[in-house]
Amino acid sequence: YRHRLGTAQEEDVLIFEENDETFAVDVFETRSERFIMIASEQTLSTEYRFVSADTPEDAFTVLETREREHEYSASHIDESFYILTNHEAQNFKLVKTSVAAPGREHWEEVIPHRPDVLLEGFVLFTHHLVVVERHGGLRRIRVLRWDGANERSSSDHYIDFDEATYYAFTTQNIEQDTHLLRFGYTSLTTPKSVYEYDMETRERALLKRDEIRGGFEQDNYRSERLTAKAPDGTAVPISLVRHKDTPVDGSAPLVLYGYGSYGISIDATFSPARLSLLDRGFIFAIAHIRGGEDMGRPWYDHGKLLEKKNTFFDFIACGEHLVADGYAHPHKLYAWGGSAGGLLVGAVMNFRSDLFSGVVAEVPFVDVVTTMLDTSIPLTTGEFDEWGNPAVKPYYDYMLSYSPYDNVEPKSYPHLLVTTGLHDSQVQYWEPAKWVAKLRATKTDDHRLLMKTNMEAGHGGASGRYRRHRETALVFAFLVDLANRS
C-alpha cells in the first residue's frame, strides 16, 4: 500500500498484491536512493518492479517479467540497473540495462558466466564495482575499477585472505560515492571481524573484532581443509578445526556437522561456544556436501529432488575419510545437524547406522512424505521445488526411499539426542516425537535415545542472549559424556 503521511489509513492505495502463495514480497529503496523497488521472490523465480522515489504515485515498471527458473536481483547507479541473473548462466552473470529501456533485449554483459565460479552478489560504487564470488568452495571479494566510460579497467584485483578455510562478506556499504569498502571476515580460528578497505591503495584497517572472553588465544587452534571422495567420484570439501595439542593419530573424538539443502552454504565461521569442545580434545568438522551451494549452483542442483541422496552419501564419505585419515577415533565419530540437517543425519543413520557412535538431531525434518503431502502447512507448496511433489509418483517413491521416519529398521542405531520446540511452525514437534517413538519401538540396541522439547521455543530454539547457550550446553554435554564413556 501507499500511505500519505497525515492521512487516514483507510485512504491508503493498494499498489501491488502477490497472488501466488509460493512467492514472498519485499519493498526497499535502492542504495542510490533514486528508486523504490518491490521484489517478488520464489525458489526458482524472481520479479522486480520499480518507481522513481521522486514520483512515488507513478505506476511501477516491471524490470524483468517473472519466468520459471529465472532468478535475478538488481541494483542501480547513474542511469543503469545492474542485474545479477541466471538466464543462460547456471552460476549467474552480471548484466546492465538502462533505466529507460530495462528489457532483456537491451542487456549488456558486464561479467560473463563462468562454470567454475558462482557469482553471489555485488555492490556498486561511483568508481568501483565489488563482486562477491565463490570459487573452490570459498568466498572471494573482487574489486573492479570503472573508468570514465563506465567500463572495466585493468586494475581488477581480489582481496587477499591467507587462511585455508574462512568466510568473507560485504557489510552495510551505505555510501556509493566512496573508495572505502566495509567487509566482514571470520574463520574457524578468527572471531567475526569488520574491516575498512581502501579500494585505491588496497590497504585495510581492522575496525572491530568480537571480543572472546576466557583467555582465548588464536594461535592455540589449527584449521584445515580436506577433501573426501563420494561414491560417484565427486570431491567433497571438509573444513575442520582442532586445538594445536589435539593429535591426528586416530584417537580424537570428532563432531561432523552438515546441512546440505536449499542451496545454503555452511561456511567456516567462528563459534566461541565451540572452544569448549576444542579445549576438551574434540575436533570439529563441516561437511560441504551437495544440496548446499558451496561449490556453485550445480552443487545445489545435484543435491535436491531426485538427486537428494547425494547429500547423504557425501556426508557418509566425509565421515569415512576423517576416520581413515586419523582425524577421528572410529568409535568417537559423531554427527550433528538441524532442521534439514536433521533430515540429513536421520537418513545417514538409516543408511550407515554403524558409522557414527552418536547423533544430534535438532528440530529434525524426518517425516518427509507425510509433511509434503499436507499442503495446508504454510511451507509445503513452496518446497515442491526442493523435495518434489509427492502427488507425483516418482517423487513420492524417491522421498519414501530416504525419509528417516519411514526407513527405521529393527537394528542397532547410534546414541541419539533429539531436540524440538512446541511452537515450531517449520518442523512441527510431532515429527521428531513420532520418529523417536518409532525408534524406541523398533531398534535392537540399548543406546541412549533422548528427546528434549522446549515448551516455549520455535524452530530457532530458545530466545534470549543467554538461554540459547543452555541448549548448546546440552548438546555438548551429550557429546562429551559419550566420548568419555567410549
Side-chain angles (χ1 to χ4, degrees), residues 141 253 439 478 486:
I141 298 179
L439 280 166
F478 174 75
S486 301

Side-chain angles (χ1 to χ4, degrees), residues 153-409:
S153 70
S154 60
S155 62
D156 302 356
H157 68 276
Y158 289 91
I159 299 177
D160 293 328
F161 305 115
D162 56 5
E163 293 189 84
T165 183
Y166 62 86
Y167 178 61
F169 54 97
T170 56
T171 62
Q172 292 296 319
N173 289 275
I174 305 300
E175 299 294 332
Q176 282 193 330
D177 190 14
T178 178
H179 57 89
L180 299 176
L181 168 72
R182 293 275 178 97
F183 74 87
Y185 179 86
T186 180
S187 74
L188 294 171
T189 62
T190 306
K192 183 179 178 182
S193 310
V194 177
Y195 287 90
E196 187 171 77
Y197 181 76
D198 191 317
M199 293 182 282
E200 296 286 355
T201 66
R202 306 188 186 185
E203 297 176 345
R204 74 183 77 180
L206 177 63
L207 301 182
K208 185 179 187 299
R209 174 166 289 166
D210 286 354
E211 180 183 355
I212 309 301
R213 298 180 179 274
F216 168 71
E217 295 288 344
Q218 185 173 355
D219 291 340
N220 286 336
Y221 304 93
R222 302 286 183 266
S223 64
E224 300 178 53
R225 194 169 179 87
L226 311 174
T227 302
K229 185 169 286 189
D232 63 0
T234 300
V236 183
I238 305 169
S239 297
L240 65 83
V241 61
R242 60 184 174 86
H243 193 280
K244 66 179 182 180
D245 296 332
T246 299
V248 183
D249 60 0
S251 64
L254 185 146
V255 181
L256 181 62
Y257 184 86
Y259 189 74
S261 291
Y262 303 107
I264 296 174
S265 301
I266 303 299
D267 290 291
T269 60
F270 189 82
S271 166
R274 189 188 300 140
L275 299 175
S276 177
L277 283 181
L278 302 182
D279 291 345
R280 287 175 166 85
F282 275 75
I283 297 176
F284 181 85
I286 302 169
H288 301 286
I289 50 183
R290 280 174 285 186
E293 215 168 49
D294 308 63
M295 300 290 283
R297 179 51 67 96
W299 205 247
Y300 173 38
D301 292 340
H302 293 306
K304 66 175 183 176
L305 297 175
L306 297 178
E307 295 185 77
K308 186 60 197 172
K309 288 182 183 178
N310 285 333
T311 301
F312 315 135
F313 297 144
D314 285 359
F315 191 82
I316 290 169
C318 290
E320 292 174 334
H321 181 83
L322 291 164
V323 171
D325 272 20
Y327 286 91
H329 188 291
H331 302 304
K332 296 184 180 182
L333 178 65
Y334 309 109
W336 186 1
S339 193
L343 161 64
L344 163 70
V345 297
V348 166
M349 279 174 51
N350 287 326
F351 287 121
R352 283 293 307 275
S353 61
D354 62 310
L355 182 59
F356 295 93
S357 298
V359 171
V360 177
E362 296 181 301
V363 293
F365 174 41
V366 286
D367 192 13
V368 182
V369 176
T370 304
T371 295
M372 293 305 297
L373 281 169
D374 186 355
T375 57
S376 69
I377 300 174
L379 290 178
T380 298
T381 54
E383 302 211 347
F384 285 160
D385 295 322
E386 180 72 23
W387 313 103
N389 184 351
V392 180
K393 192 174 189 304
Y395 291 110
Y396 175 90
D397 292 340
Y398 192 75
M399 286 182 199
L400 191 63
S401 71
Y402 69 74
S403 174
Y405 172 78
D406 293 294
N407 288 278
V408 172
E409 299 176 318

Side-chain angles (χ1 to χ4, degrees), residues 94-109:
L94 186 65
V95 301
K96 73 173 183 177
T97 188
S98 69
V99 173
R104 189 181 301 176
E105 64 274 16
H106 302 294
W107 284 3
E108 298 177 39
E109 190 172 85

Side-chain angles (χ1 to χ4, degrees), residues 130-146:
V130 176
V131 180
V132 179
E133 304 175 344
R134 190 176 291 273
H135 178 259
L138 294 172
R139 275 280 191 92
R140 305 190 301 188
I141 298 179
R142 180 183 178 189
V143 179
L144 307 91
R145 179 172 173 79
W146 309 111

